[in-house]
Amino acid sequence: MTQPIQTPNAPAAVGPYSQGIVSGGFVFASGCLPIDPATSTMVEGTIVEKATRALENLKAVAEAGGSSLEKAVKVTVFLADIADFAEANKVYAQYFKEPFPARSAFQVGALPLGATIEIEAIFAL
């Protein structure tokens, strides 16, 4: 049985997908962009500001699904420019503590809506 996640504390999906899905004892969070859920606009500024917004959105989806950042088991970080990795990683370290979840981070050709960062994760319940 799967249950879709819908929370006003994270941006609405920009396509035919759910913010997240609860299934099999896990929360599967869709990729979170640095969109302010209050205004539905992309956050402007540095990668630090954008990573912070994306992680706040991810946190909101995890919590709406009955989990938390502390229960993350796998995170994927997509960057438009790998040169932003070090600064984004500093923000990431403020949100995730030991034992850290498994993680992949890499540069991609492009992200939806011209975003510079997108973060998805899987959380245990």
Side-chain angles (χ1 to χ4, degrees):
M1 180 175 177
T2 61
Q3 175 186 350
I5 297 169
Q6 182 67 26
T7 178
N9 298 324
V14 296
Y17 60 90
S18 298
Q19 290 172 317
I21 292 287
V22 178
S23 182
F26 294 94
V27 173
F28 299 86
S30 293
C32 291
L33 299 172
I35 296 174
D36 182 337
T39 63
S40 298
T41 59
M42 194 77 65
V43 170
E44 298 292 327
T46 67
I47 193 64
V48 168
E49 293 161 308
K50 293 175 182 182
T52 299
R53 181 72 260 164
L55 285 162
E56 285 294 323
N57 294 341
L58 187 68
K59 178 181 175 185
V61 172
E63 291 174 353
S67 191
S68 66
L69 293 181
E70 291 79 20
K71 294 181 180 180
V73 293
K74 175 67 168 91
V75 179
T76 306
V77 179
F78 305 94
L79 295 162
D81 186 348
I82 199 67
D84 288 333
F85 177 79
E87 289 300 307
N89 203 45
K90 289 177 187 175
V91 177
Y92 180 93
Q94 294 172 8
Y95 283 82
F96 296 99
K97 305 298 180 202
E98 289 189 41
F100 297 111
R103 183 183 76 179
S104 299
F106 48 91
Q107 179 174 313
V108 296
L111 291 167
L113 305 176
T116 56
I117 188 167
E118 182 174 7
I119 305 171
E120 67 178 21
I122 301 169
F123 304 91
L125 286 174

